[in-house]
Amino acid sequence: MWEDYMDYHVKLDMFEGPLDLLLHLISKAKIKIEDISITEITEQYLDYLDKMKEFDVEIASEFLVMAATLLYIKSRSLLPKLKDEEQEEADPEQDLIRRLSEYKKYKEASEKLRERENIYSNIYYKLPEELVDEKEKSYSTLIEGDANDLLLAFLKLMAQRNFQKTERRVYPIIRRSVTVSQRIQEIKDILYKTYQCSFFQLLEDNCHRSDVVVTFLALLEMLKDNQIRIYQQGQFEDIIIRRA
Amino acid sequence: MDERDIMGLIETLLFVSGDAIPVKRIADFLDMDLRKTRKLMEKLIDVFNFERRGLQIIRVNDSYQLATRPEYGEYIEKFFGGDKKQTLSQAVLETLSIIAYRQPITRMDIELIRGVKCEYAINVLMEKGLIKEVGRMEAPGRPILYGTTDLFLKSFGLTSLEELPPLEELEE
């Protein structure tokens, strides 16, 4: 049974935990969980832990707890029982058997799931066409976003608008008249009329980079002051802005 | 439009969408009641299967999606030279099956069944979108309750949780 030295080596890291190891020992002995002999199984279990030490495998604490439990059950069975005690205390052996059966159930279920996984991991899907985004918006539930989502949408917009990298070395410096507080007022006005609007809507197609920045800052400010709520469908998507 | 036209239209919508479309959305769009729409969808699925088309329509929790067939998976990998999708490790899969059958469930209860820590497995499953937080248990510390997602159903070819293979009953 355990004589085959190489056997351990192959199987050492195979067990997912002490219950898994016990199930293995039980199935090797070809007995039902209910019929286990604690004395025998404890011996084999401790034997296995010894082998693990020999191979310098770090033994997880769970394995040691189980070893203690097994020894406890074994010692308990050796001691004469008082009648009262028998009734009051939960039987740790029955408890272990119940746990083993329970674990076995899910282990078997996971094997069935593995078969299904092997089949269905072979299925492929197509990505949505780009036009789907806009249309779906009204249908799917909105998720609440935070400042980070706002930032991502901002970055996406910056990339999209592709602020032309012109050859000119000299840039005219335009002093923009719109300040953040002015922009906040503008957004407030829009929201007052329409209840909600989107980040991309707030920016005209040919707007200046500074408009994007000012609008973004305005939204951050309003979000901080709890004047608005923002929603976003996913990363890099448009941001829906609503009155708080 | 006759029925064939409508089925063609639905097929088109599924193709453009790529993602799963809820049956309600299709019903609203076609101005048909839900029952009739579901029936039509089942018919469309049958047509796809009967004609042994390369694509199939799968149903997950009352949504429909266009997908390839599993039997062609290996050819897709050969043709495009991609790697087979990674499968879950045993520890992760065991954790997933406990969550699937016992949801909503806390991490502690999962660990009680498995007899080992499951933090890593849960993190992997969360990252892969196979499980999600479904709430908090009204107990000290308000531990997170986990449940499976639609992606879980899809990844294992299930249309709903009722379709999970039955658990072996405990031996008497």
Side-chain angles (χ1 to χ4, degrees), chain A residues 35-46:
Chain A
D35 305 332
I36 51 169
S37 138
I38 287 293
T39 316
E40 232 171 85
I41 218 86
T42 304
E43 222 166 89
Q44 290 175 6
Y45 186 90
L46 294 177

Side-chain angles (χ1 to χ4, degrees), chain B residues 14 19-24 26 38 41 45 57-65 150 154 159:
Chain B
L14 288 176
D19 282 335
I21 305 184
V23 69
K24 171 136 192 358
I26 300 170
R38 279 200 197 96
M41 290 310 299
I45 288 175
I57 295 169
I58 57 167
R59 179 168 76 86
V60 175
N61 267 347
D62 237 12
S63 290
Y64 295 88
Q65 185 171 18
D150 278 359
K154 224 158 70 177
T159 60

Side-chain angles (χ1 to χ4, degrees), chain A residues 14 16 20 103 106-107 110-111 114, chain B residues 88-96 114:
Chain A
M14 207 179 75
E16 295 298 337
D20 199 19
Y103 175 68
Y106 293 108
K107 195 173 151 61
S110 76
E111 280 156 19
R114 172 74 77 202
Chain B
L88 302 173
S89 74
Q90 189 56 34
V92 172
L93 195 66
E94 268 178 28
T95 307
L96 180 60
R114 289 195 64 224

Side-chain angles (χ1 to χ4, degrees), chain A residues 82-123:
Chain A
L82 294 171
K83 272 200 176 154
D84 301 355
E85 206 181 336
E86 215 174 316
Q87 282 166 350
E88 274 170 33
E89 251 183 272
D91 183 351
E93 185 173 349
Q94 284 310 311
D95 192 53
L96 179 65
I97 288 173
R98 195 192 47 72
R99 282 186 66 195
L100 277 170
S101 319
E102 178 90 348
Y103 175 68
K104 185 165 175 253
K105 221 164 54 167
Y106 293 108
K107 195 173 151 61
E108 282 166 358
S110 76
E111 280 156 19
K112 284 184 200 156
L113 283 182
R114 172 74 77 202
E115 288 166 24
R116 298 192 75 93
E117 186 196 28
N118 285 337
I119 299 171
Y120 291 97
S121 63
N122 275 326
I123 289 188

